[in-house]
């Protein structure tokens, strides 16, 4: 997956390989690991959450500490997941805009 010019490898792993986390973003290795045994809504939240960590790193957004980054990423991840779940047609709209942007 591309995130701001970097290629991240996304892996779906069993919970025992996840260090007690639902997702792990490692920008230095350009990897995102996702616990493959979550519910669908949890997986959506986790996937967005880990992408937000990659974006934070890619845009060099600074936080006073990792805990502060985690608090912001956690809320935006949950908020965006809820937005997509509550508005399925939004993804079709994005898909159209992305298609037009890439063709134009
Ligand atoms: Zn996190």
């Amino acid at each position: 997956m591309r995130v701001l010019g970097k290629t991240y490898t996304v892996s779906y792993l069993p919970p025992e390989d996840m260090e007690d986390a639902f997702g792990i973003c490692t920008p230095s290795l350009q990897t995102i690991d996702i616990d493959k045994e979550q519910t669908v809504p949890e997986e959506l939240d986790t996937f967005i959450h880990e992408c937000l960590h990659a974006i934070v790193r890619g845009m060099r957004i600074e936080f006073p500490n990792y805990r502060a980054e985690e608090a912001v990423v956690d809320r935006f991840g949950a908020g965006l997941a809820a937005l997509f779940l509550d508005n399925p047609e939004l993804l079709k709209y994005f898909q159209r805009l992305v298609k037009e942007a890439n063709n134009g």
Side-chain angles (χ1 to χ4, degrees), residues 49 53 66 70 73:
H49 178 113
H53 278 304
Y66 188 73
E70 190 58 27
V73 163

Side-chain angles (χ1 to χ4, degrees), residues 15-32:
E16 54 266 31
D17 294 344
M18 291 299 299
E19 301 169 19
D20 285 330
F22 293 119
I24 302 169
C25 177
T26 310
S28 58
L29 300 175
Q30 292 173 212
T31 60
I32 290 175

